[in-house]
Amino acid sequence: MARLAYTLTWVPFHSSTDFEVFRSLLREVAEYSQAALESDTAINRLEQIERASIGIKSLRGSPILQKQVWIKSRLDKALSNWETILNRETVKLRSQVENLEIQNVYVSGPPLLPSSPVFKGRHDLFIKLERELTGQSGVPPTLLLFGARRSGKTSIIRQLPIRLGPNFIPVEIDLLSAVTSERVEGLLSGIASQIRDKALRYRNLELPKLNLDWLASDPYPAFFEWLRHVENSVGSRVILLNLDEYERFEDMIKDGRLDGRIFNWLRSLVQDYTQIVVLLSGTHAVEELPSRWSDALINVRLLRIGPLEEIDARQLITAPIPKFSLQYEPLAVDIILDATGRQPFLIQATCRDLIHYLNDKRKHYATPVDVQHALNSVLYTASAYFTEIWNGSDTDAAQRAILRVLARAGQSGLSRDELSRQTQFSLGKSLQYLLWRDIIEPLDNGYRIQAELVAQWIRNFEYL
């Protein structure tokens, strides 16, 4: 089966006739078989064979086998034999995977997909969202989902299409990508396209198109005129418009690609449309931004995302999916909780590295020593996360001085007076920003770095 991949290298993947499509599918099955033979891990081998099995089913149901009896008579038995071989290998490999390797389900980076089994907790936040969005006042709220980078904001937003029900049309606008537009016309056109796309995808609802000629002529009035038509088209439904990384409007203004009218647009969006709920999400509270933001978002309601609750963090570590094959010594779980500060990204990164380490050792039981290996690994594999905390645009010299002193102090922390004495900085705003970003946490008599991993990275790489 694998050798066939070499003889079919000339077959194009994107062909139109039934026969050419059949040959392309056959080539894919052969290449999955080849990948399975070349694989060094049982989990990847199993994945390649399962994909080959799906391809075989597609081949056996292909139009050419239904239409051409002579082809079906020659290939049906061969495909049946291939299917038997793949099924036998699948059973064998599943047994190996269960006995030898732990399935690595952790995602340390991209947002989780809707209904991901690894998404844990945030019940209190969803309760608040549901209460805000299902109120009877008739006045749509404006919400700000606020939390540190990698705290899970986008993963939370991606669960909304399923949780909110068919009366809501959730539309996620990633402004980190949208602000590449050169002018406001591109920005508003992109937002309109996303609204139409999500309405069709999630609610099978086709909305009117935005007239691009009108947009080019006078962008803001054209967009609002289109939005009136959209409201008339959605019936009783509500569009939940999430502007993710909302602070990126500032980048466009600084670059001269937007002007102050964008805040009038935002204010009108919030105040004048009863079937539009604006959900902002980002890493800054409105108080951190220029005063024009507070003017535009005067009635915004803050929903804060912090670390996971301990019960949810424990579940993420010990049972990310049903029938998870990894067992822990109880102290090992406690070490992960303390080292990560219950931050979801750090838990995912640590557990991901831990499973790689245990699979190399052919172990299914994690001890404190194993966890320490994973924590040491995360200092390097997640270096971009730590570097962003230390060198990112949100961290200034005063904040770095505070972090340097607190890292030296360890988990016992320091009082505010002692912190002020050792840093020789005015602490007011710097402390507040670090607290808002969940980098430090208050103690009864002072402050400490929330995640010991962050403190360890600073001690290792900032030459205290």
Side-chain angles (χ1 to χ4, degrees), residues 81 146 283 290 416:
N81 287 340
F146 161 67
T283 58
R416 185 183 180 111

Side-chain angles (χ1 to χ4, degrees), residues 417-440:
D417 289 342
E418 184 61 23
L419 194 55
S420 179
R421 187 187 68 80
Q422 292 196 34
T423 59
Q424 298 182 342
F425 275 97
S426 175
L427 300 180
K429 283 189 176 181
S430 298
L431 275 176
Q432 186 59 58
Y433 290 163
L434 291 170
L435 287 166
W436 275 343
R437 293 160 61 200
D438 289 312
I439 299 172
I440 67 172

Side-chain angles (χ1 to χ4, degrees), residues 125 129 143-147 153-154 156-157 242 246 279-283 301-305:
L125 183 64
L129 273 170
L143 307 173
L144 171 55
L145 199 59
F146 161 67
K153 296 184 295 299
T154 306
I156 290 168
I157 289 161
N242 168 229
Y246 76 101
L279 171 61
L280 307 169
S281 54
T283 58
R301 303 177 197 178
L302 189 70
L303 298 175
R304 193 173 186 282
I305 305 174

Side-chain angles (χ1 to χ4, degrees), residues 359-373:
N359 281 338
D360 287 343
K361 299 295 183 183
R362 295 291 188 263
K363 293 178 63 177
H364 282 69
Y365 186 77
T367 67
V369 173
D370 299 322
V371 166
Q372 194 56 57
H373 277 284

Side-chain angles (χ1 to χ4, degrees), residues 329-431:
E329 188 175 322
L331 180 58
V333 177
D334 292 336
I335 291 172
I336 295 175
L337 291 172
D338 291 340
T340 61
R342 306 191 316 280
Q343 294 283 357
F345 170 81
L346 289 177
I347 291 175
Q348 298 254 13
T350 300
C351 290
R352 187 174 181 82
D353 284 8
L354 175 63
I355 290 174
H356 286 320
Y357 175 78
L358 293 175
N359 281 338
D360 287 343
K361 299 295 183 183
R362 295 291 188 263
K363 293 178 63 177
H364 282 69
Y365 186 77
T367 67
V369 173
D370 299 322
V371 166
Q372 194 56 57
H373 277 284
L375 293 172
N376 292 338
S377 172
V378 168
L379 294 173
Y380 295 91
T381 59
S383 60
Y385 172 86
F386 301 112
T387 302
E388 171 65 24
I389 289 175
W390 189 256
N391 288 325
S393 58
D394 294 331
T395 308
D396 58 21
Q399 292 176 53
R400 281 190 286 271
I402 292 170
L403 292 175
R404 190 178 286 112
V405 170
L406 288 180
R408 189 185 300 125
Q411 289 298 284
S412 57
L414 286 175
S415 69
R416 185 183 180 111
D417 289 342
E418 184 61 23
L419 194 55
S420 179
R421 187 187 68 80
Q422 292 196 34
T423 59
Q424 298 182 342
F425 275 97
S426 175
L427 300 180
K429 283 189 176 181
S430 298
L431 275 176

Side-chain angles (χ1 to χ4, degrees), residues 210 214 219-232 273:
L210 174 60
W214 293 356
Y220 293 107
F223 182 86
F224 286 133
E225 179 66 22
W226 169 78
L227 209 53
R228 291 294 182 198
H229 291 301
V230 167
E231 282 199 312
N232 293 333
Y273 295 86

Side-chain angles (χ1 to χ4, degrees), residues 56-72:
I56 292 289
K57 287 182 173 60
S58 297
L59 284 169
R60 298 191 73 182
S62 64
I64 196 168
L65 290 192
Q66 311 310 315
K67 297 175 183 176
Q68 303 288 343
V69 177
W70 68 274
I71 296 179
K72 181 178 176 63

